[in-house]
Amino acid sequence: MEQATLRTAPNSTYKIYDALFVLEEGVITPDDSFMIWDGTNHPFELSAYWMQGALKISLSILSHMGIW
């Protein structure tokens, strides 16, 4: 029960909401955020690199929204 009342950050779940919101409001378009995959499989060790990219995109979205 204690954990149910503990306030925690939504973390990655919030990125989904942000992405849907800015797409709906026209702040960004799919054309603005299109990424071409070159077909290369990247090992799991690179996930930190990709997460940094996701963070940059999230911060960019938040700045467009005037939140960050």
Side-chain angles (χ1 to χ4, degrees), residues 28-55:
I28 61 170
T29 66
D31 294 333
D32 295 330
S33 57
F34 186 73
M35 296 172 62
I36 297 173
W37 179 49
D38 64 2
T40 304
N41 288 324
H42 299 279
F44 186 72
E45 294 82 42
L46 292 177
S47 65
Y49 171 77
W50 293 110
M51 289 304 294
Q52 287 175 345
L55 178 61

Side-chain angles (χ1 to χ4, degrees), residues 17-29:
Y17 168 78
D18 282 345
L20 292 173
F21 177 78
V22 298
L23 285 169
E24 186 175 282
E25 293 298 315
V27 175
I28 61 170
T29 66

Side-chain angles (χ1 to χ4, degrees), residues 13 25 52-53 62 64:
T13 306
E25 293 298 315
Q52 287 175 345
L62 291 174
H64 278 95

Side-chain angles (χ1 to χ4, degrees), residues 1-14:
M1 184 67 167
E2 213 173 289
Q3 288 183 345
T5 59
L6 180 65
R7 295 183 73 167
T8 59
N11 297 330
S12 292
T13 306
Y14 198 69

